[in-house]
Amino acid sequence: MTTPFFDFSPASMATLAAADVTRALAEDVGPGDLTAALIDPARHTRARILAREAAVVCGAPWVEATLRQVAPTATWTWLVKEGETCAADQVVLALEGPAQALLTAERTALNFLQLLSAVASRTALHVQAVAGTGTHIVDTRKTLPGLRLAQKYAVRIGGGTNHRIGLYDAVLIKENHIAAAGGVTAVLQRAQALAPQARFIEIEVETLAQLDEALDAGARMVLLDNMDLPTLQEAVRRNAARGDKKAVLEISGGVTLQGLRTLAETGVDRISIGGLTKDVKATDYSMRFQDL
């Protein structure tokens, strides 16, 4: 039986967003918003969310979940849709509803929007850098605790590809696993026997000799870790020589945006980058109210 991959359908994302928002509101609002209580509950207002910088807009399910939970009578219109690029100072969302509730919802909605837009925008930059090479940009498990699925969704919105979701759905054999299990061949055989439900089994290699051993042992996905350019080129050549028994090759380690295209032009299939989700700088959004 194969372990199911997470379902990133709109319905599943709405369910995920609702759960994330519930936790976020408990953290931020707690038993009540003391400051918003200063506003007359009957006061109605219009508001706009605008981007202070160009970005790939991402996070609509979380913004909408926040509004549904805090301001259920509010209405809204997205002026820049999920996955589209906005310009600096462009209004991305127009809102109308109770002023008190919108004020309470403001920070939670913006927190999700700014984080997920940042991930999508950073991913899009990397995807653009390798356009036309056939190489996929892939995320990692270096995510914010509790927000992994949200960030992996944002990677998708930015045009990237998801790696494994967690330790439970795929096997990634690294240096310490190889050492503890007794070598490349031994650990691959053990993985193939013990984890038939895994979506994939991938093994990390650091040398061409390890690559050859992995391919001889039937590896179908290989992570080339911290190899220099000539070694990467030779690895791709050796793998291609295997014909229909070749593996999917992935690069990881020391990857920068500036050197990304050169790496992609070696002919590797995937480049995984922890910085897509780990080192993001939040996109600058603000909410502006009218008729208060």
Side-chain angles (χ1 to χ4, degrees):
M1 178 179 176
T2 300
T3 300
F5 191 46
F6 183 79
D7 175 11
F8 283 90
S9 67
S12 292
M13 297 319 299
T15 300
L16 172 68
D20 287 343
V21 165
T22 296
R23 293 196 310 272
L25 290 172
E27 178 179 69
D28 192 40
V29 182
D33 183 347
L34 297 178
T35 311
L38 303 173
I39 308 300
D40 180 355
R43 189 69 180 264
H44 200 76
T45 191
R46 293 190 299 272
R48 304 180 303 163
I49 293 179
L50 64 147
R52 297 299 189 183
E53 57 188 311
V56 176
V57 174
C58 181
W62 287 262
V63 173
E64 293 176 6
T66 303
L67 294 170
R68 289 189 185 101
Q69 292 188 37
V70 180
T73 62
T75 58
W76 59 84
T77 302
W78 287 96
L79 304 178
V80 182
K81 291 186 169 65
E82 189 88 334
E84 294 181 347
T85 300
C86 65
D89 298 321
Q90 184 173 2
V91 176
V92 301
L93 180 64
L95 303 138
E96 189 169 338
Q100 188 183 85
L102 291 181
L103 286 164
T104 298
E106 176 182 2
R107 178 43 51 199
T108 295
L110 290 181
N111 281 349
F112 282 112
L113 189 63
Q114 67 189 18
L115 170 65
L116 299 181
S117 292
V119 172
S121 299
R122 187 169 178 83
T123 301
L125 275 178
H126 288 76
V127 170
Q128 291 162 10
V130 302
T133 66
T135 299
H136 295 276
I137 298 300
V138 182
D139 57 25
T140 71
R141 288 167 48 238
K142 295 177 181 177
T143 55
L144 296 178
L147 290 175
R148 175 167 297 169
L149 291 174
Q151 287 192 280
K152 283 184 173 284
Y153 164 83
V155 166
R156 287 182 165 225
I157 293 296
T161 299
N162 297 141
H163 207 283
R164 56 181 175 166
I165 296 299
L167 297 174
Y168 59 86
D169 66 319
V171 175
L172 175 50
I173 304 165
K174 306 195 89 172
E175 178 184 2
N176 288 336
H177 300 104
I178 294 170
V184 168
T185 300
V187 76
L188 271 173
Q189 290 174 345
R190 190 162 179 79
Q192 291 157 357
L194 295 182
Q197 76 276 25
R199 289 194 301 111
F200 59 78
I201 296 172
E202 182 173 15
I203 187 165
E204 178 185 87
V205 301
E206 297 177 318
T207 67
L208 292 173
Q210 282 188 325
L211 171 65
D212 288 338
E213 184 179 356
L215 294 174
D216 287 341
R220 307 305 292 167
M221 186 178 292
V222 179
L223 179 64
L224 308 173
D225 186 48
N226 283 306
M227 290 184 176
D228 61 26
L229 194 60
T231 306
L232 287 173
Q233 291 167 333
E234 175 61 14
V236 171
R237 187 196 68 76
R238 292 189 185 192
N239 184 54
R242 301 278 176 150
D244 61 2
K245 294 185 178 180
K246 70 180 180 179
V248 172
L249 294 185
E250 178 180 328
I251 290 177
S252 179
V255 176
T256 65
L257 182 60
Q258 292 72 26
L260 192 60
R261 189 167 187 89
T262 299
L263 293 176
E265 288 173 345
T266 63
V268 295
D269 302 288
R270 297 151 54 106
I271 301 177
S272 55
I273 305 169
L276 299 181
T277 52
K278 181 174 69 75
D279 300 325
V280 293
K281 177 182 177 294
T283 300
D284 190 3
Y285 288 100
S286 63
M287 186 181 288
R288 290 291 177 263
F289 287 78
Q290 302 170 294
D291 299 335
L292 280 174

